[in-house]
Amino acid sequence: MSVIEINHLTKYYGKERGIIDINFDVEEKEIFGFIGPNGAGKSTTLRTLLGLIYPTSGSAKLFGKDCIKYGPELKREIGYLPSEVFYYDKMKVIDLLNYSASFYKKDCSKRIKDLAGIMDLNLNKKIDDLSFGNKKKVGIVQGLLHEPKLIILDEPTSGLDPLMQQRFFELLQEENRKGATILFSSHILGEVQRMCDRVAIIKEGKIIQLDKISALQESNYKKIKVQTSGSLDQNYFNIRGVSNLEVKQHIVSFLFRGNINSIMKKISETDIANLWVEEPDLEEIFLHFYEKES
Amino acid sequence: MNVFIREMKANRKALILWSIGVFLMIASSMGKYAGLSASGQSVTDLMAQMPQSLKAIMGMGTFDLSTVSGYYGVLFIYLAMIAAIHATLLGASIISKEERDKTSEFLFVKPISRSKIITLKLIAALVNLLILNLVTLVSSILLVQNYSQGEGIIGDITRLMLGMFILQLIFLFIGTALAGVSKQPKTAQSYATGILLFTLMLSFAIDLNERITVLKYLTPFKYFEAKNLMDTRGFEPVYLILSGLIIAVLIKVTYIFYEKRDLNV
């Protein structure tokens, strides 16, 4: 069953582009990554799912029900961590968490203590006095305290130190094992690569690629570096499937996607001194997607 | 229910301060009255010589300042103004604060509909208004009775406070409606205060210039005037109906716009 189904979702802010014709599904128990640079439309998509803003056209379903029409009911099973956490200043952490828990019809007090323990969060401090990272921790506990079946996270790790990031990811993986579906947006590829099963890449409001992480990495992308013995025409390797082409004196490097034979033939036709063929990491593929087509 | 309690807590301190302010206002004014009445006839003479326009601006109109009810009638304009400012600011902020403080991504992802949130917030606001009104009523009765010399004033004061409560309601919902419509959370309060000042000035202008009396329907401050409420005329049906209509429309606007629009996140 698909937990999230997004159909032709489009959002304009007046004339300004938010997202255009977004389509993707997130399956049950999947960890789905949503990556793109700032302003690409990640938060817009997530906020539309949560009914904070309304779509211009298109629709989205959560657990098979329209996310706007059945919003309040659906939100019982959703935990959300916004990219920037702001809370009622004069409250203590524990008061805020209890207030949050009061919206769900279950006792969350033990869970709050457990989560605060894992995230190393002092419950008796005032929220005003917390650092950015600690506010983020409050957000994490607040988003998970009712054991939601769907966890939506908007750039969850910004502000967390590496140790806390590690614990947070372990926490998410634990929730996932218990059956939670996770959708999270990020512009940090390392964490997406580490956590997610599938990933959608969004750019300027449109989904430009949707694939399994493993497929993205493997899908015939090769990072190739050739050292030639003689000088070579700048555009010698500029054939179909080559991107990020860089020529530095006798060293040529590029990304290649396509039939490996064609590039090998090309390489064999020239006199080479050395050759490196590597699996590119996601970052490099990603940069390639982001470069504006010139 | 939780949203209601949260709002009551969030507004507690402000309400206490406003209540103290109102009490001090009445106490100090009645202290002045003590001095005034002691000087006897001379005040009435002085007032008689004062130009009509100056009296209008000070809100004195035709009141007889030598009697406690006349004096309180003048004071009422200021009390009503304080209550109206409180209601306006409360109305605008109670709705727009989630967006202003960026807590909307907390509250509106909870399993509760926007209309229910508005309802709970409005109930909290109404309780706040009622408390301020009761504080004004009780302090007025207690402090004014000291000087009343047998003049029956409880009935008058109660009627005035009833009028003031309707005034509070109108301005509360002007605030909530503007906050409901406005996409910029910070603008709601300034627009609402602008409307308040405009209607107040208009009510003074009408006192100054008889040719624009017809504009009295535009300013709620003219609906419940002390001189009418304390007079035999009491509440005029036309103003009660008008108030009811205005309140109903403003409530509807608050709900419809706030539910339909994108939240500012």
Side-chain angles (χ1 to χ4, degrees):
Chain A
M1 186 191 89
S2 295
V3 171
I4 303 177
E5 297 164 57
I6 302 182
N7 293 311
H8 304 290
L9 198 66
T10 298
K11 174 70 187 173
Y12 278 90
Y13 298 101
K15 279 187 176 165
E16 219 174 302
R17 183 263 314 154
I19 47 174
I20 304 164
D21 198 25
I22 300 275
N23 291 285
F24 66 83
D25 291 355
V26 178
E27 302 303 317
E28 196 173 7
K29 296 189 186 176
E30 189 172 26
I31 304 184
F32 192 95
F34 195 37
I35 49 178
N38 299 326
K42 302 187 295 286
S43 298
T44 300
T45 311
L46 301 186
R47 284 167 183 166
T48 311
L49 289 180
L50 290 157
L52 290 166
I53 53 178
Y54 298 123
T56 311
S57 63
S59 66
K61 282 182 182 173
L62 303 174
F63 302 103
K65 288 178 175 172
D66 186 86
C67 72
I68 305 293
K69 200 173 166 199
Y70 296 94
E73 169 191 340
L74 288 167
K75 284 171 196 167
R76 272 181 228 150
E77 299 299 343
I78 302 176
Y80 174 58
L81 174 65
S83 57
E84 289 174 84
V85 256
F86 290 97
Y87 291 125
Y88 308 93
D89 278 347
K90 283 163 197 152
M91 290 173 105
K92 276 187 189 173
V93 174
I94 185 69
D95 295 334
L96 186 275
L97 294 175
N98 282 335
Y99 181 42
S100 180
S102 70
F103 288 92
Y104 307 98
K105 287 174 186 113
K106 50 176 132 177
D107 179 25
C108 305
S109 50
K110 186 180 174 297
R111 173 95 169 154
I112 289 174
K113 280 202 191 98
D114 291 349
L115 289 171
I118 295 170
M119 294 312 293
D120 196 15
L121 178 67
N122 185 342
L123 289 175
N124 289 312
K125 277 207 168 175
K126 281 204 165 175
I127 292 177
D128 306 22
D129 302 337
L130 295 181
S131 68
F132 182 70
N134 277 317
K135 278 188 188 158
K136 198 90 189 185
K137 290 184 195 171
V138 179
I140 291 168
V141 177
Q142 187 268 125
L144 299 178
L145 57 82
H146 55 293
E147 295 176 274
K149 290 202 185 97
L150 171 61
I151 302 172
I152 297 179
L153 310 152
D154 197 356
E155 314 227 340
T157 52
S158 60
L160 290 182
D161 63 46
L163 175 70
M164 279 306 142
Q165 284 191 20
Q166 182 57 37
R167 288 207 194 154
F168 173 53
F169 282 136
E170 283 165 10
L171 192 61
L172 285 183
Q173 268 152 353
E174 177 60 29
E175 291 305 305
N176 183 239
R177 258 193 302 278
K178 285 195 285 181
T181 308
I182 300 174
L183 167 64
F184 92 90
S185 88
S186 178
H187 59 261
I188 303 163
L189 286 140
E191 59 188 39
V192 173
Q193 199 164 4
R194 203 162 94 208
M195 289 285 295
C196 299
D197 309 318
R198 284 194 306 152
V199 61
I201 301 177
I202 184 169
K203 176 186 172 184
E204 289 165 12
K206 291 179 183 158
I207 300 277
I208 50 172
Q209 177 93 350
L210 196 154
D211 230 329
K212 284 193 171 158
I213 286 279
S214 49
L216 257 190
Q217 252 165 317
E218 286 159 12
S219 71
N220 2 343
Y221 272 102
K222 298 289 173 210
K223 187 178 159 189
I224 299 175
K225 194 156 82 167
V226 187
Q227 188 178 11
T228 54
S229 21
S231 62
L232 197 67
D233 177 19
Q234 288 267 337
N235 283 322
Y236 181 78
F237 282 110
N238 204 353
I239 59 168
R240 241 171 64 104
V242 167
S243 58
N244 295 21
L245 183 63
E246 251 178 76
V247 184
K248 270 187 208 149
Q249 289 178 325
H250 293 304
I251 297 184
V252 186
S253 59
F254 52 85
L255 278 180
F256 178 77
R257 182 186 190 181
N259 187 337
I260 197 80
N261 290 304
S262 66
I263 195 71
M264 292 313 286
K265 225 172 259 169
K266 201 81 182 160
I267 293 169
S268 68
E269 279 166 13
T270 154
D271 195 17
I272 58 171
N274 210 340
L275 172 70
W276 300 262
V277 180
E278 292 167 6
E279 293 294 325
D281 62 21
L282 205 52
E283 194 115 12
E284 282 159 304
I285 301 172
F286 186 65
L287 280 175
H288 156 63
F289 274 120
Y290 276 7
E291 275 170 3
K292 301 217 170 186
E293 290 89 31
S294 47
Chain B
M1 201 56 195
N2 40 14
V3 178
F4 170 77
I5 294 169
R6 174 91 272 281
E7 288 302 336
M8 289 309 291
K9 278 186 187 159
N11 287 300
R12 187 172 50 194
K13 210 184 234 168
L15 181 62
I16 291 172
L17 289 175
W18 280 95
S19 299
I20 292 173
V22 166
F23 178 82
L24 289 179
M25 173 88 190
I26 301 171
S28 62
S29 303
M30 290 323 288
K32 282 241 164 48
Y33 174 75
L36 206 63
S37 58
S39 63
Q41 190 56 30
S42 60
V43 179
T44 327
D45 293 345
L46 181 73
M47 296 308 295
Q49 284 164 15
M50 209 188 253
Q52 187 57 37
S53 51
L54 187 62
K55 281 205 258 182
I57 289 171
M58 309 272 290
M60 291 171 189
T62 53
F63 288 112
D64 178 3
L65 285 188
S66 60
T67 67
V68 72
S69 57
Y71 188 86
Y72 187 80
V74 177
L75 178 57
F76 172 74
I77 294 165
Y78 295 96
L79 295 177
M81 197 168 78
I82 293 175
I85 294 172
H86 169 256
T88 310
L89 295 179
L90 179 66
S93 72
I94 206 164
I95 299 293
S96 66
K97 72 205 265 187
E98 307 291 343
E99 291 172 277
R100 185 193 64 203
D101 301 339
K102 298 177 186 285
T103 45
S104 40
E105 276 186 301
F106 169 84
L107 185 59
F108 294 95
V109 302
K110 298 281 179 273
I112 177 170
S113 67
R114 287 194 197 178
S115 59
K116 187 139 186 236
I117 290 174
I118 301 177
T119 305
L120 291 168
K121 279 173 175 274
L122 290 184
I123 295 173
L126 288 176
V127 173
N128 271 277
L129 294 194
L130 197 62
I131 291 174
L132 188 67
N133 191 288
L134 289 176
V135 167
T136 316
L137 175 74
V138 171
S139 359
S140 295
I141 291 176
L142 289 179
L143 291 163
V144 174
Q145 237 167 6
N146 272 337
Y147 305 99
S148 65
Q149 296 162 337
E151 213 184 326
I153 40 97
I154 293 183
D156 275 344
I157 291 177
T158 312
R159 230 174 305 136
L160 286 175
M161 287 305 125
L162 214 59
M164 188 173 94
F165 190 65
I166 302 177
L167 201 64
Q168 283 174 292
L169 290 181
I170 294 177
F171 281 101
L172 172 78
F173 292 120
I174 287 178
T176 60
L178 283 169
V181 173
S182 167
K183 285 179 183 150
Q184 296 297 322
K186 277 172 196 149
T187 59
Q189 255 187 10
S190 23
Y191 282 134
T193 323
I195 291 180
L196 175 93
L197 281 178
F198 172 76
T199 52
L200 193 65
M201 291 302 144
L202 185 62
S203 76
F204 286 146
I206 292 169
D207 285 340
L208 284 176
N209 189 341
E210 281 184 4
R211 277 176 303 173
I212 55 169
T213 323
V214 65
L215 294 178
K216 65 188 175 187
Y217 297 106
L218 286 179
T219 166
F221 285 103
K222 279 275 157 206
Y223 297 1
F224 307 103
E225 279 194 300
K227 60 170 181 277
N228 294 345
L229 294 184
M230 295 168 87
D231 205 11
T232 39
R233 288 163 80 179
F235 289 95
E236 290 178 68
V238 56
Y239 290 131
L240 287 177
I241 292 167
L242 202 53
S243 303
L245 277 177
I246 291 173
I247 291 170
V249 168
L250 289 171
I251 292 178
K252 196 82 191 157
V253 167
T254 307
Y255 275 94
I256 288 180
F257 280 85
Y258 200 65
E259 270 179 77
K260 286 274 182 287
R261 77 174 162 88
D262 289 343
L263 290 172
N264 205 307
V265 280

